[in-house]
Amino acid sequence: MQHDKVLILDFGSQYTQLIARRVRELNIYSEIHPFNKIPTDIESYKAVILSGSPNSVRGEDVLHPDLTDIRGKKPMLAVCYGAQYLAHFSGGNVAPSNTREYGRANLSYIKEEETLFSKIGSGSQVWMSHSDTIKTLPEQGVLIASTADVTNAAYKIEGEQTYAIQFHPEVYHSTDGKQLLENFLVNIAGINQDWTPDSFVEETVDAIKEKVGNDKVVLGLSGGVDSTVAAVLLNKAIGKNLYCIFVNNGLLRKNEFENVLTQYEGMGLNVKGVDASQRFLDALAGIEDPEAKRKAIGNAFIEVFDDEAHKLTDVKWLAQGTIYPDVIESVSATGGPSATIKSHHNVGGLPDFMKLKIVEPLRAIFKDEVRRVGNTLGVDPELLGRHPFPGPGLGIRILGDITAEKVRILQEVDAIFINGLKSWGLYDKVWQAGAMLLPVNSVGVMGDERTYEKCVALRAVESTDGMTADWVNLPYEFLQKTSNEIINKVKGVNRVVYDISSKPPATIEWE
């Protein structure tokens, strides 16, 4: 079944992925492409959205998209930078704003019977984030909304289905943002809302059957949501021709290897568990640099996985749990999606000697969609509700070099923290939680003796996608009980701190 598609042109905004996710929440399929790599099959898209950008339309480094086949020919919504670009280069005027227009604002004027603002009332809160502002509208521009500080908050071009807004509808702070996107995509562009988890499962299973046929497929399971849902989808399509390998890298949570392996077997997956803990610890000996640790863990995984894959005969395909954000970040261009901050090893991390064809059943969908698809497939809600866990595991939560003793300490601390969150009914209110073992010893007193032992930091954040995150205000009683339990039960730790930094500027993980 062909779904209507929306093209999102990315000018480097940190919010571009949010636009795509908001569109998909409306059951409409969307794709992100860098502004300078517009797809050649532009005819296949029913509408186009231009993203925001950290760049200025007045600067030296203006990002110029080629809108020849888009403007006036397709419904187009220009957000923030996009709105300023259309104004500045079509006879309008963009100037530096006297006040940096950042944060919440409210619509004070909405043009009557304006389709883009259907069901949105005056006073509706929107989110601004720009230092330039549109002083005069472009040729044929018609004002359709204002805020108290921003006169030209939204406009349309007469005679075209072109709309432009100087606020971000994709951000949660814009309370009617989803309604505005629905007005544009459904009421103006006439797009069908038929992209659902059910349709995704049905179409993906058919596509896998057609692509893979009777070939054998090998998949590395991690215990995480993505690889698990990928495995269940593949299993539904090809059954016993799927060979899953679950590697214990020695950096998993306490008892995780045994517990998850049992769960996988219970799901009817054809899975083999490989305990390679010592091999990973040997590979990490003496390495302190975070990127070097990630590479050592990635390389060791590839070696172990390759050894195991070679034991299987006639395997033609390698399956991966790659999801859409991995794909976007690995194609990031200058002025394309925001610069990659860490090396991802979900994409392109495989060596040439594994000459297998790749199958990636989840490469078109976001994390929240993976969970919805898992739900449709009947995957255990507990597995789907698991917090994200970094690929390198506790390897990047132990700051500095890694030893078996440090792993033991952190596994014990992490288990107390995570089990505590579960027993207090807090686990599902948190997006991601974990503990960090710091390369710091501090003085303490236990009984009558002075101690000089490790410090651990607890981290719990709220987020929807990991791109931005706020620390969670956990109850003091919970933190007090958890701290006492860690210090009393985990030998080697005498101090517990709680991380109250948000992302940005801090990242969720410490390394």
Side-chain angles (χ1 to χ4, degrees):
M1 174 183 174
Q2 281 298 104
H3 297 277
D4 290 341
K5 296 193 298 188
V6 175
L7 171 63
I8 297 163
L9 291 183
D10 181 20
F11 294 86
S13 166
Q14 60 172 347
Y15 299 133
T16 304
Q17 290 191 26
L18 273 182
I19 301 176
R21 288 187 40 241
R22 291 289 165 272
V23 172
R24 291 180 181 207
E25 283 170 12
L26 295 166
N27 295 333
I28 294 170
Y29 181 66
S30 62
E31 284 178 4
I32 296 174
H33 291 270
F35 76 95
N36 53 1
K37 294 182 181 168
I38 296 175
T40 48
D41 61 337
I42 195 70
E43 280 312 304
S44 67
Y45 297 90
K46 290 265 304 209
V48 179
I49 298 176
L50 308 185
S51 85
S53 174
N55 296 45
S56 164
V57 297
R58 298 176 305 101
E60 297 290 301
D61 49 358
V62 179
L63 309 179
H64 285 288
D66 178 1
L67 300 176
T68 318
D69 296 325
I70 298 172
R71 185 164 170 190
K73 298 175 183 170
K74 290 189 179 296
M76 180 166 77
L77 177 66
V79 176
C80 213
Y81 177 89
Q84 294 175 356
Y85 182 87
L86 289 184
H88 198 63
F89 294 101
S90 305
N93 178 32
V94 173
S97 171
N98 299 334
T99 54
R100 182 165 161 72
E101 291 161 1
Y102 185 84
R104 293 172 176 81
N106 299 87
L107 296 176
S108 54
Y109 161 76
I110 296 173
K111 186 172 182 286
E112 279 185 26
E113 294 185 12
E114 181 46 62
T115 313
L116 189 67
F117 288 93
S118 171
K119 298 183 186 165
I120 299 174
S122 186
S124 175
Q125 179 179 288
V126 294
W127 181 259
M128 299 279 183
S129 177
H130 48 90
S131 48
D132 289 344
T133 195
I134 299 170
K135 294 292 188 193
T136 52
L137 293 177
E139 290 161 19
Q140 306 299 315
V142 177
L143 178 68
I144 56 176
S146 308
T147 69
D149 293 331
V150 183
T151 306
N152 298 313
Y155 65 89
K156 65 180 178 182
I157 304 289
E158 201 72 76
E160 298 178 13
Q161 284 184 311
T162 299
Y163 293 81
I165 52 180
Q166 281 205 91
F167 54 88
H168 286 275
E170 69 276 20
V171 176
Y172 281 114
H173 306 303
S174 291
T175 41
D176 294 309
K178 194 170 172 183
Q179 181 65 54
L180 184 141
L181 289 171
E182 184 176 344
N183 290 340
F184 171 67
L185 296 168
V186 180
N187 302 343
I188 293 168
I191 292 176
N192 292 317
Q193 296 172 277
D194 56 11
W195 162 259
T196 62
D198 288 4
S199 70
F200 176 82
V201 168
E202 197 179 313
E203 289 158 28
T204 304
V205 165
D206 289 347
I208 292 168
K209 284 178 179 169
E210 191 175 324
K211 185 174 184 174
V212 171
N214 290 318
D215 294 350
K216 289 181 184 173
V217 178
V218 64
L219 167 69
L221 285 169
S222 68
V225 176
D226 303 337
S227 66
T228 302
V229 173
V232 175
L233 256 179
L234 284 155
N235 191 43
K236 191 174 166 75
I238 61 171
K240 289 292 173 229
N241 274 344
L242 173 66
Y243 293 82
C244 300
I245 298 170
F246 181 34
V247 176
N248 181 6
N249 59 11
L251 303 165
L252 300 173
R253 293 188 144 131
K254 186 180 178 182
N255 300 332
E256 180 157 25
F257 181 59
E258 297 77 8
N259 295 348
V260 173
L261 199 54
T262 307
Q263 251 178 324
Y264 280 147
E265 286 163 351
M267 289 159 69
L269 293 176
N270 180 11
V271 60
K272 178 184 180 184
V274 180
D275 188 351
S277 313
Q278 198 52 51
R279 188 162 171 178
F280 280 84
L281 284 171
D282 292 345
L284 284 163
I287 299 177
E288 294 187 9
D289 176 73
E291 279 297 311
K293 287 197 289 188
R294 283 172 179 273
K295 289 206 165 62
I297 293 165
N299 291 339
F301 176 80
I302 288 163
E303 287 169 18
V304 172
F305 189 80
D306 196 53
D307 290 350
E308 292 302 320
H310 280 148
K311 294 176 188 172
L312 302 169
T313 51
D314 291 339
V315 172
K316 297 273 177 28
W317 297 84
L318 171 71
Q320 290 183 295
T322 310
I323 62 173
Y324 196 43
D326 301 324
V327 176
I328 299 167
E329 289 187 21
S330 67
V331 298
S332 80
T334 310
S338 8
T340 309
I341 291 170
K342 283 194 193 113
S343 60
H344 272 272
H345 49 242
N346 287 6
V347 178
L350 287 152
D352 295 337
F353 54 72
M354 289 193 69
K355 297 278 194 283
L356 298 175
K357 292 180 282 187
I358 303 278
V359 56
E360 297 169 312
L362 307 178
R363 69 174 282 124
I365 61 177
F366 287 100
K367 187 72 144 194
D368 49 337
E369 295 176 300
V370 174
R371 289 198 165 98
R372 289 205 287 276
V373 165
N375 198 32
T376 295
L377 287 163
V379 176
D380 183 346
E382 191 200 341
L383 250 175
L384 290 179
R386 293 186 62 173
H387 291 175
F389 188 65
L394 300 179
I396 56 167
R397 291 183 177 177
I398 296 169
L399 277 61
D401 71 320
I402 294 169
T403 63
E405 174 61 5
K406 287 180 183 176
V407 173
R408 179 200 67 79
I409 290 174
L410 192 56
Q411 281 179 332
E412 296 295 336
V413 170
D414 179 81
I416 290 170
F417 183 35
I418 298 298
N419 292 338
L421 287 170
K422 287 178 178 171
S423 65
W424 278 61
L426 296 165
Y427 186 83
D428 292 333
K429 296 186 171 76
V430 169
W431 191 74
Q432 186 169 347
M436 320 294 158
L437 183 63
L438 309 185
V440 170
N441 281 29
S442 70
V443 174
V445 179
M446 284 191 182
D448 294 331
E449 293 185 15
R450 281 165 73 81
T451 59
Y452 189 58
E453 292 179 333
K454 293 275 177 227
C455 171
V456 293
L458 306 182
R459 180 94 161 118
V461 298
E462 294 172 307
S463 178
T464 47
D465 50 21
M467 297 180 73
T468 59
D470 288 317
W471 61 277
V472 178
N473 195 349
L474 293 173
Y476 283 156
E477 298 79 8
F478 168 77
L479 290 171
Q480 184 180 9
K481 184 176 183 302
T482 305
S483 171
N484 284 347
E485 195 175 338
I486 289 169
I487 290 169
N488 288 328
K489 290 186 177 173
V490 184
K491 191 171 162 31
V493 175
N494 69 356
R495 191 176 297 268
V496 176
V497 298
Y498 185 55
D499 182 349
I500 55 168
S501 325
S502 291
K503 174 185 179 179
T507 50
I508 295 175
E509 299 296 340
W510 281 38
E511 286 195 341

